[in-house]
């Protein structure tokens, strides 16, 4: 029963980053926002949620026991972990891009359609990879 709060926190943290990333992707894509402020604020939430996901993911693995590397479940977990490492690496690049743009543009991307397009693509790619992670998690949870 102690695993339920850990799993719940894991799912909630994932919902936060999938939802937030998708909203930013669509908002920059549609031009609904042009300020860098929402993205800058979200990056704090994103990285905090990633920390929660790593912590609770380790907790979930501890509750389930070590997977056999020769099993389908173990191979799926390995694929998920590789995708998560790629996601984190790409997210570091996205965050650094945002920091660099903030230093250059201040808080507004209004005068820079290429910057808005780049942010849209970066958040769109992040959202797509996150959805892939969700699919892999569903496979792990339900076979």
């Amino acid at each position: 029963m102690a695993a339920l709060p850990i799993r719940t926190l894991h799912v909630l943290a994932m919902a936060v980053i999938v939802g937030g990333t998708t909203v930013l992707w669509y908002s920059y894509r549609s031009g609904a926002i042009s300020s860098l402020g929402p993205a800058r604020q979200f990056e704090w939430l994103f990285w905090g949620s990633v920390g929660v996901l790593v912590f609770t993911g380790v907790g979930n693995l501890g509750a389930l026991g070590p997977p056999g590397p020769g099993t389908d479940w173990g191979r799926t977990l390995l694929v998920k972990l590789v995708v998560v490492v790629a996601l984190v690496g790409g997210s570091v690049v996205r965050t650094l891009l945002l920091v660099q743009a903030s230093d250059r543009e201040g808080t507004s991307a209004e005068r820079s359609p290429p910057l808005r397009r780049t942010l849209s693509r970066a958040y769109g790619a992040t959202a797509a990879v996150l959805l892939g992670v969700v699919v892999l998690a569903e496979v792990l949870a339900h076979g």
Side-chain angles (χ1 to χ4, degrees):
M1 194 63 155
L4 182 61
I6 292 171
R7 289 184 187 146
T8 301
L9 192 55
H10 194 76
V11 170
L12 289 174
M14 191 61 162
V16 165
I17 64 173
V18 169
T21 302
T22 303
V23 165
L24 283 172
W25 161 72
Y26 184 76
S27 296
Y28 283 115
R29 181 179 175 272
S30 68
I33 60 172
S34 59
S35 170
L36 298 179
R40 289 169 51 190
Q41 291 174 341
F42 177 72
E43 288 298 323
W44 287 101
L45 185 62
F46 178 89
W47 288 108
S49 295
V50 166
V52 169
L53 285 165
V54 168
F55 178 75
T56 56
V58 170
N60 285 335
L61 279 177
L64 295 172
T71 65
D72 286 343
W73 197 90
R75 284 187 291 274
T76 303
L77 177 63
L78 180 61
V79 169
K80 180 183 174 189
L81 293 176
V82 167
V83 172
V84 167
V85 168
L87 170 74
V88 169
S91 294
V92 167
V93 171
R94 186 198 64 240
T95 301
L96 292 175
L97 170 75
L98 182 63
V99 168
Q100 181 183 22
S102 294
D103 289 346
R104 191 176 61 246
E105 303 286 331
T107 59
S108 177
E110 283 178 3
R111 295 167 295 183
S112 182
L115 176 57
R116 284 197 315 271
R117 196 169 30 256
T118 300
L119 288 172
S120 172
R121 289 177 182 159
Y123 284 111
T126 302
V129 173
L130 284 167
L131 291 175
V133 171
V134 168
V135 169
L136 289 168
E138 190 277 331
V139 170
L140 288 171
H142 301 289

